[in-house]
Amino acid sequence: MKKRISLVFSLLSIFTVLLFATSQKKNKASAGEDTNKTLDFIFNNQTLGETTITIKRSEWEKLCDNYRFFYKNENSVHAESYVYKKDGKTWTMKDVGLRLRGNTSRYVPQGTDNGRKQEQKNASWNPEYYDYAEKPNDDYRQSHFKISFGEFSDEKDKSNKFLAGCLKGIPLKRLDQSCGREIFCYDLFRKNGIWTAPRASHTRVTINIIEDKKDNSVTKLNFGVYEMFEEINKQSLKSRTQKETNNKNAWKNNKGNLWKCGFYDLPNVKNRDAPALTDSSGEGMGVEEVKIVFNTNGKPESKIWKHYPLDLKTNKKEFDAAKKEFCSFIKELNTLPVPSDDSDKKAINEIKAFYEKWFDVDFFIKTYAINIICGMDDDYWNNTNNYYLYFDTGSEDATNKLYFIPFDYDNTLGCSISEPGFKQNPLEWGRGQNRPLIDRLLSVPEYKEKFKNYLLDLTSEKSLWNYKRCSGIFNSWKKMLSPYLNSPDLNFTGLGVQSFEDYTWRPGGYSVINKKNNIYDATRESIKKWFTGNYLQIKQIKDESHSGIKLEIKNIPSDAVTRHIFLNDKLVNEISPDWKNGKAVASQKILNTEFVYPYTTDGKAYKLKVVYLNRWYGVSESAEINVTASGGQGDFYLRNKPSYKITNGVLKFNQLPVIQIGSDKPSAENNWEKYYVIEIQSVGWQYQSWNYLGFSPDNFDFNGKKEDGTDIVSTKNDTLMFNLYYVVSNDTFGNYRLVIYEYEETKGFKIN
């Protein structure tokens, strides 16, 4: 009996232990879920947060003076508090650190900015952008900030170390003109399952300065609207572990080595090994230290600038071990073979083994496909910049994989180094230098095909990358932010955003909200063009009801405003937009999917090509096809070509050109309108004029005037060229035209 009771108690004890362990796992899982729910709440990009920073004037002036002594410094000054409000919740953090941040975009928030003296300006940059730095003033202006929690608080006060228990600090970043390129891109990554990407959202920023040098009154400053984003650090690594997210594909722990990488392409050209640790600026790998050293009186005395392209962010005391791990990776990467072609199985298999060892290959390929879609070319592949690498090592259950983390996506969506970025071949994105991490990856046919398929799938009309959804996001931000963008307390000269701008790049702009020239359709069409041959497709249609050549056109660009059709390399048809208030208004005819050209000889072979232009002369061109005319009125050709000369500032032709269609001359009594058109253009493409000379002008002259009677030239030195056409116009397919003179033949004449 006692044995039975003992057995029952033993079983109950085991059951109790198991139940407790299970409940603990559930609690830990829910704690992780709560952390990520809190982060999603804080960085919800559909609502606007409010940030208030309170700081004494003496500390604020120290912040500005530190910049002027050494603008790159990362010394924090003491701020009394940081308060963040979001959708009814408030977080208050006391005794926080405040510093400036940014690379080329770092500025002093008040007073004289001597960035030039600190070599902030590079000679290749636009000097006008820095003009205000030479105009001393005491105005306030937007700067990038970084808030560090608990930096000046009591060590025992753990509650003041992390906002919401999971954020060690908050970076605040000035907005771009579209008010959120980076926020949009991070959101696109995360909604497509790229959980490594940071979170980001908008916040209003108020800075209260306590006038402790006077009377302790408070100067309240509206600093406008900023982007706030999630730092990539040990805390963000923890929130993304399998335990915290229940994501089986995530890394296992946050104890591994995290590297911030900038302007380093990973190979070492000397010995294909990792670079040695050095103390010199801009070389090698190390633990970054960028600060001002103060003397005993609290005055700046010297500076330390230990800056490395490969900057270790975790496990800094174990740098040698982290370096050894990184060196092992780089050495393996740089000793990979280069396949001779797609049949070089030995080399390809060796490359595959490397990527399968170090990466979740599918996840890495998908991450980089979204990077390309966003038009991010200030990245590893193009500019060796703006990425993190995390080695999930440091524990027994670690995945021992390497993860690529995207970062700093403000130069995207058409605002790219190779503007517009998405027009580049996605398989040749880099600038030609050695980029082994991507180059070797795409040398594997299987990986290249997967990369192409992701680019096509992630930009399809059914994907998240579609005009309706994406423009809706930017329109909602425009509505949410517009009342708060223009702050009366700031001097925005050269800095800050005062209003929402729908174009991503000026000049040149694709739009984030306008349907006609939106960047989403343009990107989709560009990628399709690269991967499916000539995206614009044409074919001949046999139709006895139409005499000549009938053409079907598919996949017409959504931003088309001009259509040209070439027959035997000669322009025979053009539809151009109407112009209102200096803007092109596309004709619906441009979007016609059919075209009929009647001026052909029955049974004769022709070469045919179609070209569309957008309002910035971007070209979408079909392949050239061979067609055979089925009927027709006869070829449309020029029987004589008049000569021209300049007499007393007037362009004169010696005779009318004689136009012939088949065996007949054109008849003025025909239902279709026929006339001559001359287009005048400066050699420098500064002046443009379309002049309709009528049906059969008695005096076939041109006197250097636009249609409104004003002069086309502004100085006697303007050198002009012209096109002269004979045009037959109808309401169905636009203008059929015969070129009499082309620009190339007429360069160099002067009206005055």
Side-chain angles (χ1 to χ4, degrees), residues 413-415 419-420 422 502-512 514 516-519 522 559 614-616:
L413 303 183
C415 180
E419 188 270 333
F422 62 86
D502 60 345
Y503 295 105
T504 60
W505 189 259
R506 292 183 182 276
Y510 281 85
S511 173
V512 292
N514 292 333
K516 157 172 89 170
N517 62 324
N518 74 87
I519 196 166
D559 59 355
N614 62 27
R615 61 187 293 183
W616 302 279

Side-chain angles (χ1 to χ4, degrees), residues 13 41 80 92-93 147 152 247-248 255 280 321 324 379 397 429 443 445 513 518 531 548 563 589 663 671 740:
S13 298
F41 181 89
E80 303 297 308
T92 300
M93 308 295 287
I147 297 99
F152 293 92
N247 176 6
K248 294 180 180 179
K255 296 180 175 61
S280 60
K324 183 178 179 181
D379 63 342
D397 64 341
W429 187 255
S443 69
I513 61 174
N518 74 87
F531 292 159
R563 184 183 76 189
K589 297 175 186 178
S663 58
N671 292 330
I740 301 170

Side-chain angles (χ1 to χ4, degrees), residues 577-636:
D578 298 322
W579 291 83
K580 293 182 180 178
N581 299 322
K583 293 184 178 180
V585 182
S587 166
Q588 287 299 315
K589 297 175 186 178
I590 296 171
L591 303 179
N592 284 354
T593 58
E594 293 183 354
F595 165 73
V596 176
Y597 186 71
Y599 302 113
T600 59
T601 299
D602 186 32
K604 185 177 178 179
Y606 298 87
K607 293 185 299 181
L608 194 64
K609 181 174 69 174
V610 179
V611 175
Y612 284 90
L613 288 81
N614 62 27
R615 61 187 293 183
W616 302 279
Y617 303 99
V619 176
S620 181
E621 183 174 318
S622 76
E624 191 172 70
I625 64 172
N626 295 316
V627 298
T628 302
S630 178
Q633 300 180 25
D635 283 318
F636 186 15

Side-chain angles (χ1 to χ4, degrees), residues 277-280 282-288 306-311:
L277 172 63
T278 74
D279 288 333
S280 60
E283 294 293 331
M285 57 199 303
V287 177
E288 187 173 270
K306 293 181 179 179
H307 173 71
Y308 307 94
L310 303 177
D311 174 25

Side-chain angles (χ1 to χ4, degrees), residues 14-28:
I14 293 170
F15 177 75
T16 302
V17 170
L18 291 172
L19 185 63
F20 178 76
T22 303
S23 67
Q24 287 296 96
K25 286 183 179 180
K26 286 183 178 178
N27 287 336
K28 288 182 178 179

